[in-house]
């Protein structure tokens, strides 16, 4: 049997995408395995999820600057990923911009999920941005992480229609349902070695 | 029988969206009627379509500056629209940014179709922009015209998936199929008085 891809998940919040990934990894025949959960604050709900599912986790002090991380914490994340044999880093609601050695060492092996049809509505509060703009469709995007904010090559996107009565909460909830399906699908494609970056376009073997 | 909404179409090119609108208007029970085709150059293929369909057309000299129009031509367009009792101006591949009196007098009564999921890929060559970025979905957008470029409130959007083998031509062709359905649908909604602008959001009566 082929060895599973070892995945590190970085999260800051309740960890619903982490949970979706962990549940997928627990499924029979899934080609990925969560090696470690890394969070940047001890209050992250994701820690509880990891504990319940028997997944190792670690809390890193990434520094006091909101949205940023110290180079030292980046260094230590790489060390723990190397120790664990991590082949893919998944950002899942991680509220800091990755930089330093983690960015350099995992380029092409680090992905993120964003609750909008990128390049529309990058950055924070994407669902609110979509509602405020008045688009009729939004969705979610799994993309490679590069040095920009939500700018890397796109692996998968899913569409969610915006309904006239939507609030930020209702739209976010419907997008989240798609996120929970799309992120495990993307990790599977990565684990199966079917994802190739061609310039900015991502080609997926076996997709038409 | 309720009076039909009189529509002016502004075009610069082959006029495929003009044709789609004209054919819709020729259909039984459709609540709109093409009052006039306005083009900015005598080579526009749309003129031939108008001639074949028995629709009045006029060629305006909008000035030598590419992408812009003279205030005088804007003034004359309003005059002809007023003469014809036009209640809705539809831009259909019109390659000039509307300004002057046409912009002022028809604010809220002038719409455009754009071959992308706005606010993604505004401006020229939207299909190529989408391919170059590597999005998995694009589409088309019918929106109100405001003083920005492709920035007005969105009435309708339709999704078109981007296939891995797509070229600018194949993607444009598939988007165009949707444009030809979506633009007449939007004009119908306008003609039926079902479209209301609420801030940036467009609310459509009868849609969920």
């Amino acid at each position: 049997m082929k060895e599973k891809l070892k995945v590190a998940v970085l999260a800051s919040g309740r960890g619903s995408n982490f949970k979706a990934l962990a549940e997928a990894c627990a499924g029979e025949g899934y080609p990925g395995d969560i090696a470690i959960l890394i969070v940047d604050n001890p209050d992250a709900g994701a820690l509880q999820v990891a504990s319940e599912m028997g997944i190792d986790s670690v809390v890193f002090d990434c520094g006091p600057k909101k949205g940023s991380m110290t180079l030292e914490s980046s260094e230590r994340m790489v060390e723990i990923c190397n120790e664990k044999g991590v082949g893919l880093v998944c950002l899942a609601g991680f509220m800091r911009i990755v930089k330093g050695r983690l960015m350099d060492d995992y380029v092409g092996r680090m992905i993120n999920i964003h609750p909008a049809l990128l390049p529309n509505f990058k950055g924070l509060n994407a669902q609110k941005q979509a509602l405020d703009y008045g688009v009729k469709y939004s969705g979610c995007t799994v993309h490679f992480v590069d040095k920009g904010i939500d700018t890397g090559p796109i692996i998968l996107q899913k569409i969610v229609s915006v309904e006239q009565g939507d609030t930020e909460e209702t739209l976010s909830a419907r997008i989240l349902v798609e996120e929970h399906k799309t992120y495990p699908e993307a990790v599977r494609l990565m684990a199966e070695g079917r994802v190739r970056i061609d310039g900015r376009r991502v080609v997926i073997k076996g997709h038409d």
Side-chain angles (χ1 to χ4, degrees), chain A residues 9-22:
Chain A
V9 178
L10 272 61
S12 299
R14 60 189 159 173
S16 81
N17 271 308
F18 163 62
K19 190 177 180 192
L21 288 172

Side-chain angles (χ1 to χ4, degrees), chain A residues 16-59:
Chain A
S16 81
N17 271 308
F18 163 62
K19 190 177 180 192
L21 288 172
E23 285 174 348
C25 287
E28 202 175 338
Y30 190 85
D33 193 30
I34 310 281
I36 184 89
L37 168 73
I38 299 173
V39 301
D40 64 343
N41 80 81
D43 299 325
L47 286 172
Q48 184 64 32
V49 176
S51 165
E52 285 164 13
M53 297 184 74
I55 293 169
D56 288 351
S57 61
V58 56
V59 183

